[in-house]
Amino acid sequence: MERVRRYIHADYAYKMGLSGKNVTIAVMDTGIVPHPDLKDRIVLFRDFCQNRIGLYDDNGHGTHIAGILAGNGMQSILNKKGNYMGIAPKARLISLKVLDAKGNGSTQNMLEAVDYLLRIRERFHIRILNISVGMLPDAGKKEQLALLEAVERLWDAGIVVVAAAGNNGPKENTVTVPGISRKIVTVGSCDDTEQVTLKNGLESGYSGSGPTACCIVKPEILAPGTNIISCNKNMKGYTVKSGTSMAAPVVSGSIALLTELHPDFTPQEIKLRLYERAYPRGRQIGKKCWGIVHVENLIREGKW
C-alpha cells in the first residue's frame, strides 16, 4: 500500500488533513472480519448469502478490499512490517456480503443488496459503493440488464458506484457487468503488465478492456492493482492479491478523500473531476481510458 499511495500521489491529501472522515463507503463482496485496522469503523454488516449475524468473511476477498479502502495500517506499524494503510483510513464501512466462500454469488443476492442500500442510504449517509465483483461472461442478458439497471438506480440516488473492469483482458470488449454501465465509474489496473503471480490465473494485460457494445470508453480510470498488500481474513496480518478488484477500491478511497473535502459534490461532478484530472492521460501510456487516478490533482483547488 505504500507503493500505491505514492503512485497515486495521495500524500498531498494527508498533508491537508484529509482521511475520509465522516464518509461512508458500502462494499459488496465476500464479507468482512473485525481486523484491527478496520474494526472500529465497520458500522453495518448484512449477509445476503446465508443470513448470518455477526461479521465474517469466509473467502478473504472482501476484507482485503476493505483494507485497501479504509485500513488504518496500525497493525503493520506496531509490528514494524511497514505501513499498509488504506487510501481513506478514517472512512466508515458498510459490508454487504453477496459472495460465498468460493467467491460465487447470484444476481438475486446483488439485487437484494441494492434494494437494501437504497433503503438505508440516507440513514447511514452512504456516498460511495465499491463493487469489486463482475458477472461471468456467459451470464444471461436478462440478469445483466437487471444488475445494470440496479446500479444505475443507486447512481441516480446520489451514490457514486465504482466497479472493477474484470480480469478478462487484454482483448477488447472484456469489461464485466456491471462495469459496462454508461453511468458508473469503471476501474482497470494500470500495472497489469508487471510480473503477476499466476496462481490466481492472471496473465500480463489481465485488466478488462473496452470499448463496450455501446462503444463507450471503459474502463474510464486506472489505478494500481497488482501485488497489493492488505488485510487478511485471519485478522493476524496481511496478504497479497492482484486484479482489478484491488484497483477499484484505490479509486473509491480517492473519491472518499474528495468527498470529505467537497461533501456537496454529486456523482456526476465527481466523475467529471476524475476525467479532467487523471494523469498521466490514457494516450500518454498507450491505454484507451481517461488515465490514472491522481489524488493531488483531484483535490487541488485552482490551477493544478
Side-chain angles (χ1 to χ4, degrees):
M1 286 305 300
E2 291 177 280
R3 173 184 70 91
V4 173
R5 295 194 306 272
R6 288 195 302 270
Y7 202 115
I8 65 170
H9 305 272
D11 281 350
Y12 180 81
Y14 307 139
K15 289 175 183 176
M16 286 184 61
L18 298 174
S19 59
K21 187 177 181 180
N22 297 323
V23 179
T24 304
I25 308 170
V27 182
M28 283 188 188
D29 218 286
T30 62
I32 196 168
V33 298
H35 190 284
D37 289 5
L38 301 167
K39 62 181 182 180
D40 294 335
R41 286 167 295 107
I42 303 170
V43 297
L44 182 67
F45 172 77
R46 180 70 179 265
D47 179 11
F48 293 90
C49 295
Q50 301 182 72
N51 294 313
R52 285 173 52 180
I53 304 298
L55 304 181
Y56 80 104
D57 182 356
D58 45 10
N59 177 281
H61 191 272
T63 300
H64 195 270
I65 296 301
I68 297 170
L69 274 169
N72 62 22
M74 289 308 298
Q75 190 176 74
S76 63
I77 295 169
L78 290 172
N79 294 339
K80 299 180 180 179
K81 298 289 186 180
N83 184 350
Y84 301 147
M85 182 181 80
I87 305 304
K90 290 188 179 179
R92 297 184 295 244
L93 294 168
I94 289 177
S95 174
L96 306 175
K97 182 174 173 60
V98 296
L99 301 179
D100 63 19
K102 295 182 178 180
N104 298 323
S106 69
T107 306
Q108 186 59 37
N109 286 348
M110 294 194 69
L111 294 178
E112 288 176 2
V114 167
D115 288 341
Y116 181 69
L117 270 183
L118 286 169
R119 293 199 303 271
I120 67 169
R121 65 182 176 83
E122 291 186 355
R123 177 183 169 194
F124 289 96
H125 307 289
I126 300 166
R127 299 299 308 276
I128 303 160
L129 168 63
N130 188 91
I131 307 178
S132 289
V133 177
M135 276 188 165
L136 295 173
D138 59 355
K141 286 291 184 183
K142 186 175 180 181
E143 288 183 291
Q144 292 184 34
L145 287 173
L147 184 54
L148 287 172
E149 290 172 359
V151 297
E152 289 180 0
R153 285 201 305 274
L154 291 171
W155 183 273
D156 293 341
I159 296 174
V160 182
V161 181
V162 179
N167 302 330
N168 299 324
K171 292 182 179 179
E172 292 187 347
N173 300 308
T174 53
V175 176
T176 55
V177 175
I180 64 171
S181 164
R182 286 176 175 270
K183 292 186 178 182
I184 73 173
V185 176
T186 306
V187 183
S189 294
C190 60
D191 53 1
D192 64 340
T193 57
E194 295 180 11
Q195 186 65 39
V196 179
T197 302
L198 297 180
K199 67 180 182 180
N200 293 324
L202 298 179
E203 299 179 357
S204 182
Y206 63 79
S207 188
S209 299
T212 66
C214 298
C215 297
I216 305 169
V217 172
K218 287 283 182 175
E220 292 99 345
I221 198 85
L222 306 182
T226 301
N227 295 331
I228 308 298
I229 301 174
S230 185
C231 298
N232 196 321
K233 70 173 182 178
N234 67 13
M235 297 186 287
K236 295 180 180 179
Y238 304 87
T239 189
V240 180
K241 294 182 184 293
S242 298
T244 60
S245 285
M246 286 66 243
V250 174
V251 173
S252 293
S254 301
I255 292 171
L257 298 174
L258 176 62
T259 300
E260 181 185 3
L261 183 64
H262 293 287
D264 57 330
F265 273 15
T266 65
Q268 292 80 6
E269 288 172 318
I270 288 171
K271 190 171 183 181
L272 178 60
R273 192 110 161 182
L274 284 169
Y275 165 70
E276 292 176 337
R277 304 194 177 200
Y279 187 82
R281 306 299 292 184
R283 63 181 178 274
Q284 294 173 289
I285 56 176
K287 300 272 191 177
K288 293 180 180 178
C289 63
W290 296 343
I292 299 172
V293 65
H294 192 298
V295 173
E296 182 174 347
N297 287 354
L298 199 60
I299 63 175
R300 185 184 285 275
E301 297 303 322
K303 186 177 179 180
W304 50 272

